[in-house]
Amino acid sequence: MRTDTPKTVYLQDYKPYPFKVTAIDLNFDIRDEQTTVTAITKFSRKDPKASQIFLNGEDLELVSIALNGEPLEKFTQDERGITFKPPAGDEEFTLETVTVIKPAENTRLEGLYRSGDTYCTQCEAEGFRRITFFPDRPDVLTVFDVRVEADEKDCPVLLSNGNKISDGKLEGGRHFTVWHDPFPKPCYLFALVAGKLTHIHDTFTTKSGRKVDLYIYVRPGDEGQCAHAMESLKKSMKWDEDVYGLEYDLDLFNIVAVSDFNMGAMENKSLNIFNTALVLAHPDTATDLDFMRVESVVAHEYFHNWSGNRVTCRDWFQLSLKEGLTVFRDQEFSADMHSPDVQRIDDVTHLRRFQFPEDAGPLAHPVRPDNYIEINNFYTMTIYEKGAEVIRMLRTIIGPENYRKGTDLYFSRFDGQAVTCDDFINCMEEVSGQDLSQFQLWYSQAGTPEVTTTGKYDGLEKTFTLTLSQNIPDTPGQTDKKPMHIPVALGLLDPSGQEFPLDEERNTTKILHLREKTQTFVFEKIQYPPIASILRGFSAPVILKDDLRDDLKPEDHAFLMRHDPNGFNRWQAGQTYMLHILDEMLDQGEEIPEECFRAYGALLDDALRPESDKALLARMIHIPDVIHIGLQREEIDPAAIYQARDDLINGLLSAHKDKILAIYGMHNDDDGDSVTAQAVGARALKNTALHILTNKCMKEDVDLCREAYKNARNMTDRIAALQRLTLFRTGSCMDVLREFYERYRDYPLVIDKWFAVQASAAREDTAAIVRQLREHPDFSLKNPNRVRSLFAAFAMNNPVCFHAPDGQGYEILRDAVAELNTINPQIAARLLTPLKEWRRYTPDRQALMKSALKKILEIENLSPDVYEIASKSVAD
Ligand code: BES
Ligand code: ZN
């Protein structure tokens, strides 16, 4: 158990660093047992009064330290770093340190570590202090010169940021490269890679004619799975030029894939380092979803070159400045590459599933937090996803032209600087002439606003009056919040499905600016009682409480699901409608209404039409999953929800088996491994149909899925079938599972799927299976992907088993966190996510979850990472 309380960092304590770092010269001498880092750092004074200089440095063995060439005698060192007295006067001074680190022993995967045979770095947020002594904060920018030396046989490839200046051979089979990055950067963007890697190469010519060499480095044998990432990179480079006018700024861009990585990927200047899971993609081994994800993460990291690298964050409280903006950019990129409606549906589903609960839970925090214990815990759904929604709302409010003027101003004004979220908003204010001070509350107030709507039609005056009210719930440390500026996109439909024009230009979607607690909007010349389509495209990250009782009736949602011209709202109406029916089944034991069978049948008819949007329809015919249903319940009982959902699916299946079978059959002979939007959509629809079709778990269902597995010509179809077989788990199903393992035992990313699919099966014996898999020879706590594939899949994707009333699920997670606490605290803390929401569950589950958290607080040598999440989760 911890006896001390880890320190909290506060935004209000921000002070500029009193020195400037004019340059750093780094030398890495990489050897098997250890790496020696020599850093020659040049400082100049910014604050004439500063009497001390502090450099971060953790877990470093200091070999020597010299100031201006003389050994430094007087300095103090603690577990956070060193402090010494700088020379008086304005003269530049030079510090030379030699430190030794042990990458092979680094299981935290922060700083310099080994992944397989490859040395690589991860410095964001605070990893550089594990490499050498330096002011490890994003507002200290400097020019990096880096020399890397290693054994040529073990490490033929030696990379760092910027341009390669020279290379050469040395005695004893050693060699070196030297790198210069002309762009000053904070140390969190530093990177180094050394290892035995092969690459693929391509080029991209920027709009002003710069020819850029593009490389993707991977483990030998994986080069056949890189083409998709390379295509994605070129598309991203082109898109950023077209949409934001932003060009790449060096002649070289490298991506390196490593298999041990805490996150998805990292935007180090000109040397992006990726988790293999987000680079490698081949139809044999990656699903359509994996393909999409690779494309969007490659784009995301590339876009950071401007939003994050050229213009960076002043401090980590401003993290959303780069992450929220870059997520928004990658979402829009993906929307442009594929279907905007489907992209929006998937992004909103993600937001609701992960960010809304965070915003309603014990760790709720604003998009710009004001305190943290461990910064790694603040790479959250709020910073990322809500942060992206905030940028999207800004664009909606000031309009796309002003938004582009605003980003132009932002990138030119702050190029080479470390700035704040306010700086960004001020640019938007300046170019649009709009007062955004109320809007800025989105950065400081936590909690998801609830918006209530009431509509009234006046048949004599032909007016429709819509009243909107907002309520911002209390969150830890924040009560009595001010009303926010919420853009609500609205359309009005007449009974034939036609839209009413809502302004002089006859636009049919209007943005209502809700700024007061309650506000009324009147629409004239509305000839019939309209059906309101509210919050089109999810124009603001709010919870809409039109909740079907007052103005919008279930049949209105069924109507909108058929007729709303806004694709997102068509989907939303269908979901709202089905969630309503599930609620009635759960609370009142209601039967499935006739209207539901009819509405669902109409959707299936749509899906059967050859020209329909298959990707969208796959999402529309999908019955909201257990987690999703739970999100809107007062008290979550996953087992009861599972049962109701099962009844609904079986009811719909009995009524429409022929149609569902036809949908499944319709796409069964597609061309197999093509990844065009058409093919991807068709597979999504087909596999959704397969899952519904085999919901009753009959013998014939097993046969159908085995058939599907056997005929699969790509990983998407194979996994879809395997998910069902793993759920049935009969003898013949187990044969398939074994066949899958044997076939892919040399493909770690596919073996991850093999673990995940078993951990996600809603079966009585899954907890026991997870415990067995923990002991599987292929399991390792040191590999984050493998940890996620077993424990995160179980705890986050398998609500019924994780929340089993006997508490087994929570115990499994607690044991995993205890073990991981010392191996990799960052991953351990992230695993805790599902326990944060204990207050949302039935009382028996609440007690068990809370006691699991308390036991976690008793772990010896508890890391600050785990401590922060567990202690804040149980706090009253
Ligand atoms: N800068 C982050 C990576 C990062 C996060 C490093 C936390 C250190 C700590 C990177 O740009 C990022 O956001 N990656 C995401 C994927 C992205 C598409 C949202 C990730 O790794 O999950
Ligand atoms: Zn990012």
Side-chain angles (χ1 to χ4, degrees), residues 34 39 57 98 136 165 239 243 283 374 395 437 457 494 520 553 565 574 578 584 600 612 726 764 772 793 867:
Q34 61 181 45
V98 178
D136 189 357
I165 301 298
W239 186 89
V243 179
E374 171 52 60
R395 187 183 64 175
S437 45
Y457 182 66
D494 76 13
T520 296
K553 297 178 190 58
M578 283 198 276
E584 305 267 283
Y600 198 76
S612 60
T726 314
E764 295 267 319
Q772 275 171 27
Y867 170 81

Side-chain angles (χ1 to χ4, degrees), residues 239 244 300 303 322-334 344 347 384-385 387-396 403 407 424:
W239 186 89
Y244 280 83
H300 177 100
F303 296 155
K322 77 174 175 84
E323 293 302 347
L325 175 56
T326 306
V327 169
F328 175 63
R329 277 151 57 67
D330 84 53
Q331 289 178 348
E332 288 298 284
F333 165 76
S334 297
R344 193 65 187 133
D347 290 339
Y384 275 69
E385 311 300 318
E389 293 299 321
V390 171
I391 308 288
R392 182 181 297 274
M393 286 189 287
L394 255 179
R395 187 183 64 175
T396 304
Y403 172 74
T407 57
F424 184 83

